[in-house]
Amino acid sequence: GYVDAMPMDEALQSCAINAVSVAVCAGLAWRDYQAGEANLARIAKGGALARLSVVPASMPNTRTTLTEYRRTARVLIAAGGKDYIS
């Protein structure tokens, strides 16, 4: 071989370290991707909930969305008839 070439056992060890490093980085990237997808799903679920049409108890003839209550009031969603809720 070449005079300035790395010995074969050192080269194989270096390749093994690089392969393990690539596998670890790929695993971390995949985990980060999955966390981002879960976060996007949570945000989409919140957006769907914000578009929910509700009837306020104080104004039973009016329909509004939960978006109008954002940051101004706590909302309790009660589903069912008067007998079921009481």
Side-chain angles (χ1 to χ4, degrees), residues 19-35:
V20 168
S21 298
V22 166
V24 167
C25 287
L28 290 174
W30 177 251
R31 194 178 79 180
D32 190 44
Y33 170 77
Q34 287 179 326

Side-chain angles (χ1 to χ4, degrees), residues 1 5 10-11 18 25-26 28 32-33 36 40-42 44 50-51 63 65-67 73 75 82-84:
E10 285 183 35
N18 289 342
C25 287
L28 290 174
D32 190 44
Y33 170 77
L40 288 175
R42 183 185 57 82
R51 289 187 302 273
R63 285 191 173 265
T65 62
L66 285 179
T67 305
V75 177
K82 289 182 181 181
D83 295 332
Y84 182 76

Side-chain angles (χ1 to χ4, degrees), residues 29-70:
W30 177 251
R31 194 178 79 180
D32 190 44
Y33 170 77
Q34 287 179 326
E37 289 295 314
N39 194 26
L40 288 175
R42 183 185 57 82
I43 291 169
K45 187 177 178 182
L49 186 61
R51 289 187 302 273
L52 183 65
S53 178
V54 294
V55 177
S58 60
M59 298 178 291
N61 296 329
T62 307
R63 285 191 173 265
T64 184
T65 62
L66 285 179
T67 305
E68 295 181 28
Y69 293 102
R70 185 174 288 175

